[in-house]
Amino acid sequence: MQPLASAEGVARTIEDAWYRISTAEDVPAVPDRTRRGHGTLDVFAGDLLIDAGTTTGTVEITVEEWAAEPPLHAAPGGFAEVVETSVPFRVARVRVLAADGSDVLALGLNGGAGDYRLRLYSRFLDPRSQAHVLRLWPAAAARDWHYRLDDEGRPVARPDRSATETLTVAMPAEDANALSLEVEETALLETQRGDVDDIVEDCLQIRDLLEYRTQPSGDVRPALTVRQWKVALAVLDHRAEVVGEPDWAERLRRVHETIVAQVGNRLPPGRVYGL
């Protein structure tokens, strides 16, 4: 699998610490107060501002268009950061500009205007310069993601959520409510901690599938994927150890036992949450 097209350029950032990707014909001026974002990627008027840091003088930039999501490890290791975001292009062109408005490079998009996913690989070449590889492919909008890096500076792949086969578990509606509350609480806590185990998306999917009931009664039969059940069990196990109410902790253990009794022997081994 190879990119459809690519372009290279060099941006000077010493005075401004950022460069931008233009997504439309017009290039709005960026007010001084937004010249530094709150992270590596910041959005202004639809354009993407990429922070290179105040000590960087030049950034060697390579932009690649791919027909579909490229392999995560297509590039070598040694990265300082690998991050993804969604970018809607209103024109069939990627235009990279330095902060002063000068052109760095331009690349026509074979896929035309529309929603793209952008993955940024950044590497320090020396204390004053960086190399950035920006890979784009057509994709629906999704939340930003910062990849964990291994000891060699290579991004750690996200879990495979493509499986759609489900397993059904019968449980009292109030137990399903308890699970719904705990996965939602875990999603909030793990978002604040950086979601290093990449379970927030699973927790939110589980919450939505369980459909919290304001007046629970009778039994329900939620159907979740194998990964979702593994995450649910991991959350219940963890939360039962940390919640301060003994009765609630006992309920969570009971829900855990209910799930294990029905589908535990159909779940593969392997950690999904925690050390």
Side-chain angles (χ1 to χ4, degrees), residues 74-150:
F79 296 110
E81 186 176 40
V82 179
V83 59
E84 279 183 17
T85 191
S86 294
V87 185
F89 282 89
R90 289 166 284 176
V91 292
R93 181 207 63 215
V94 179
R95 184 182 176 197
V96 178
L97 302 100
D100 63 6
S102 60
D103 287 302
V104 175
L105 64 87
L107 178 68
L109 291 171
N110 292 277
D115 292 332
Y116 284 78
R117 192 71 173 164
L118 180 147
R119 182 185 297 151
L120 164 65
Y121 299 81
S122 61
R123 178 188 288 111
F124 288 99
L125 300 176
D126 57 54
R128 304 291 286 174
S129 60
Q130 296 183 35
H132 288 186
V133 177
L134 297 147
R135 292 185 165 146
L136 296 133
W137 66 95
R143 70 187 180 103
D144 292 356
W145 184 253
H146 283 75
Y147 283 91
R148 286 192 298 120
L149 302 177
D150 64 18

